[in-house]
Amino acid sequence: MEKVEPRVSNPRFVRELLKQTDDNFTILLALVDTSFVDMAFNFYITSIKPCGINNYLFVGVSTAACDYLRRKGISCYTYIEDSDADVESAFNSPAFLRKTNLRTEMILDALLAGITVLQTDVDVIFRKNPFPEMLVSDSDISVLWDYSSINAGFLLIRANERTVWIYDQVKKKTRSYTMNDQIALDYTVNACSVYKYCRMTVLETSRFQNGKSYFEDGHRIFSGDNPCTNCVVIHNNYIVSKSAKVYRFKENHMWYNNENEYYTSQKNNYITFDMSEAFTFEEQRKALANALAFGQILGRIVILPKFRCENGVKLCAMNSLFKISQFDKFFLNRYRESTFLSHPQVPSEVTISTKQVSLRNITVITSNNIIQYFGVDESRVLFLQSPQKINIRFSNIREDDNFWRNLEMALMPCDYRQFC
């Protein structure tokens, strides 16, 4: 292998790293932009803080991202100001490649300073502190495995001349932004392993799991499904869009970001509905549409049910039927996941204040009637029975047109991984 002598590209960054490392010169680094800063905060409160990890640093691609985290007492260094920092970038788009390839530069700077790096994405959950288990190996790189390739979103890189060479090669391959860092890293590590220049360890797949292994293969759709007692790290990948990642975290009680009192509000009232008699896709779509109409009319937030897939045989989450990112364009903050009421942060005064609302003898109802019959109810949660059997009309014609037109656009059919 050719000898390389790359130079640190950001000396100020290295000085900040040295302040944050532990006595063994190891550090956890996580790149974050403004569009994912809420997920970064969730990663901190679910994983970094509970595991007692102090040798960490979030690396921001915008001042705004770091300002948000620093206001919460979380260490963050602004590495660069990216023009697309506040926009969720499509996978493999030029902006996506530019952002993810920054990981290569920050890791290379750390390695050149003699700092061993645990690089992690922010859509990750730690069940235990991964450092002790990962540092046992003397391999150059320890990786979470994605079935056939390295997962560039979670890996430990020991600082030595071999890993400096690897990341210098990755930097050269990604500099044109035509190749993402995962492909470049996978290619480079495999090549140097073949020539026995470096050594890679694949972390135990039952303990360090990717999104397909944990959620799909493990049949973990909702909180409480098949608890994984020996899991150390779970990466919420193998699903498209930030909206879908957040929704899946929420259904599994892996989301504790209580921004704007998402869980703890004393003012919000809710409405949910029965899906026991809705089996077909159209019946479930009608029930959801009517519940959303009730929610808008009464000013209540809709708590989703557990849906039915595979001809009504299997319980599934909303992302198995509809595109979450499209739904969020119209109903963000106006709905909650199906496991919401069992989340530990939801106050007991909400969960115990529930009232059944029978709609069995109603075929058509107007918004004025809904307000008249149910608008004065002080129960925190209204439970609609058989909402798929009624037709709702808003008394205001313009509102009626707008709501049903938006709903048609919001409920885009999709599949579990959101490839639609």
Side-chain angles (χ1 to χ4, degrees):
M1 297 293 176
E2 63 186 85
K3 186 177 181 181
V4 293
E5 294 182 355
R7 296 181 178 179
V8 168
S9 63
N10 192 328
R12 289 183 59 193
F13 174 58
V14 170
R15 288 195 291 272
E16 188 66 26
L17 289 177
L18 292 170
K19 296 177 186 176
Q20 298 296 129
T21 64
D22 63 10
D23 292 340
N24 296 314
F25 290 93
T26 63
I27 194 167
L28 180 152
L29 294 180
L31 195 73
V32 59
D33 64 11
T34 310
S35 65
F36 268 73
V37 73
D38 55 342
M39 190 171 285
F41 180 54
N42 187 69
F43 173 53
Y44 176 80
I45 60 178
T46 60
S47 304
I48 294 178
K49 186 175 181 180
C51 289
I53 298 172
N54 296 314
N55 56 325
Y56 76 89
L57 184 66
F58 285 95
V59 182
V61 298
S62 72
T63 300
C66 277
D67 285 348
Y68 173 93
L69 294 174
R70 283 194 288 258
R71 283 195 297 269
K72 297 178 180 295
I74 300 171
S75 300
C76 187
Y77 175 86
T78 304
Y79 193 83
I80 194 173
E81 287 287 347
D82 189 272
S83 58
D84 295 303
D86 58 346
V87 179
E88 182 186 350
S89 304
F91 179 73
N92 266 349
S93 66
F96 175 89
L97 294 174
R98 185 174 63 252
K99 291 176 187 178
T100 56
N101 291 342
L102 285 171
R103 296 188 299 196
T104 300
E105 295 196 18
M106 74 176 189
I107 292 170
L108 184 56
D109 277 347
L111 297 176
L112 286 166
I115 300 169
T116 291
V117 176
L118 172 55
Q119 138 65 28
T120 180
D121 286 350
V122 296
D123 58 339
V124 168
I125 293 289
F126 292 173
R127 293 303 192 195
K128 302 173 185 175
N129 185 338
F131 270 114
E133 191 163 336
M134 298 180 75
L135 288 171
V136 169
S137 170
D138 60 357
S139 293
D140 300 308
I141 296 182
S142 299
V143 303
L144 189 151
W145 196 242
D146 260 350
Y147 287 100
S148 60
S149 64
I150 292 171
N151 183 324
F154 185 85
L155 67 168
L156 185 133
I157 313 105
R158 287 188 176 275
N160 57 45
E161 64 178 8
R162 295 178 296 280
T163 55
V164 168
W165 179 87
I166 289 170
Y167 272 85
D168 185 60
Q169 293 298 305
V170 172
K171 181 177 180 179
K172 290 175 181 177
K173 288 178 173 63
T174 60
R175 188 171 290 165
S176 65
Y177 305 128
T178 58
M179 179 185 293
N180 70 47
D181 63 336
Q182 177 151 328
I183 294 173
L185 181 65
D186 197 55
Y187 176 86
T188 305
V189 171
N190 285 330
C192 80
S193 296
V194 167
Y195 288 102
K196 301 187 185 305
Y197 179 69
C198 62
R199 191 155 70 95
M200 177 183 76
T201 293
V202 174
L203 297 165
E204 187 180 340
T205 55
S206 66
R207 295 171 62 74
F208 295 80
Q209 298 200 24
N210 61 55
K212 183 178 184 299
S213 295
Y214 183 84
F215 296 105
E216 291 186 60
D217 299 345
H219 305 289
R220 299 179 180 100
I221 305 301
F222 305 105
S223 174
D225 290 350
N226 303 316
C228 182
T229 57
N230 69 330
C231 283
V232 178
V233 172
I234 301 153
H235 190 186
N236 189 7
N237 61 347
Y238 282 88
I239 197 167
V240 176
S241 84
K242 177 197 169 187
S243 294
K245 289 173 182 283
V246 171
Y247 173 70
R248 186 159 71 172
F249 267 162
K250 288 176 177 177
E251 286 287 18
N252 282 271
H253 287 181
M254 294 176 170
W255 189 263
Y256 276 74
N257 187 341
N258 191 40
E259 198 80 15
N260 298 318
E261 298 184 321
Y262 181 90
Y263 293 108
T264 59
S265 173
Q266 298 294 329
K267 298 178 180 179
N268 289 339
N269 289 322
Y270 306 91
I271 192 163
T272 189
F273 55 105
D274 174 25
M275 197 73 88
S276 62
E277 297 179 13
F279 294 96
T280 68
F281 174 82
E282 287 304 324
E283 287 174 335
Q284 293 182 85
R285 188 185 185 282
K286 181 70 176 295
L288 173 59
N290 284 339
L292 290 167
F294 260 88
Q296 178 161 315
I297 292 164
L298 297 175
R300 289 176 176 264
I301 293 173
V302 175
I303 300 174
L304 299 175
K306 293 182 179 179
F307 291 86
R308 294 175 181 270
C309 298
E310 299 178 10
N311 297 319
V313 174
K314 180 182 177 182
L315 291 177
C316 58
M318 187 179 178
N319 59 294
S320 290
L321 299 179
F322 302 103
K323 186 172 184 176
I324 302 298
S325 60
Q326 180 69 8
F327 187 68
D328 278 358
K329 290 178 183 178
F330 299 90
F331 291 98
L332 183 66
N333 300 321
R334 294 165 63 185
Y335 76 97
R336 297 290 186 265
E337 64 279 8
S338 70
T339 60
F340 174 77
L341 291 176
S342 61
H343 193 281
Q345 289 183 315
V346 174
S348 59
E349 54 264 34
V350 173
T351 61
I352 64 174
S353 179
T354 303
K355 183 178 180 179
Q356 300 279 338
V357 175
S358 176
L359 303 172
R360 291 185 181 277
N361 297 322
I362 301 174
T363 55
V364 179
I365 190 169
T366 67
S367 58
N368 286 342
N369 293 146
I370 290 173
I371 293 171
Q372 178 185 353
Y373 299 150
F374 311 112
V376 296
D377 198 298
E378 296 182 356
S379 301
R380 298 297 300 275
V381 183
L382 293 182
F383 191 98
L384 302 179
Q385 295 178 322
S386 305
Q388 75 278 5
K389 297 181 179 180
I390 63 172
N391 292 301
I392 298 173
R393 294 289 178 265
F394 288 78
S395 301
N396 181 295
I397 295 176
R398 180 176 294 180
E399 186 178 8
D400 190 78
D401 287 342
N402 287 340
F403 179 84
W404 298 111
R405 184 171 58 251
N406 287 342
L407 188 82
E408 188 67 28
M409 292 186 287
L411 296 181
M412 179 185 294
C414 202
D415 56 26
Y416 177 82
R417 293 190 193 173
Q418 301 286 283
F419 286 112
C420 53

